[in-house]
Amino acid sequence: MATANINVRVDSSLKQAAESLFSDLGLNMSTAITMFLKSAVSYDGIPFEVRREIPNAETRAALAEYKAMKEHPELYKRYDSFDDAAKEILADA
């Protein structure tokens, strides 16, 4: 199969971060980009959601709740282990 070159300009720090990530995954940049292109063709579109970075109402509410929990941990129930939390949840089900 014949190959073709694609030249892409990206921020150098983005390139370094991507190369580091792909290396950890056992990939090089060319293989990772080929995987993306094959996935896009198979999906018949961009293979992930593309949208603004503005959190929706549910995410904003969750972030606000997280902030409140960090500021006032005494107002929230705590568990010594995941098993303890799971037992309580299953008991209420």
Side-chain angles (χ1 to χ4, degrees), residues 8-77:
V8 179
R9 289 197 169 288
V10 296
D11 180 85
S12 61
S13 61
L14 173 61
K15 180 180 182 245
Q16 287 177 335
E19 285 175 332
S20 177
L21 168 66
F22 299 148
S23 177
D24 287 349
L25 296 172
L27 305 169
N28 61 33
M29 184 71 73
S30 181
T31 301
I33 291 171
T34 298
M35 290 171 67
F36 167 76
L37 294 174
K38 285 184 176 187
S39 181
V41 170
S42 174
Y43 186 77
D44 199 25
I46 302 294
F48 49 83
E49 186 173 356
V50 178
R51 62 186 186 149
R52 291 186 226 177
E53 292 186 29
I54 299 171
N56 62 26
E58 183 179 4
T59 302
R60 286 192 305 271
L63 291 170
E65 182 180 16
Y66 170 74
K67 181 179 178 185
M69 291 173 84
K70 283 193 69 154
E71 290 174 355
H72 302 286
E74 70 281 0
L75 300 177
Y76 298 88
K77 188 166 186 173

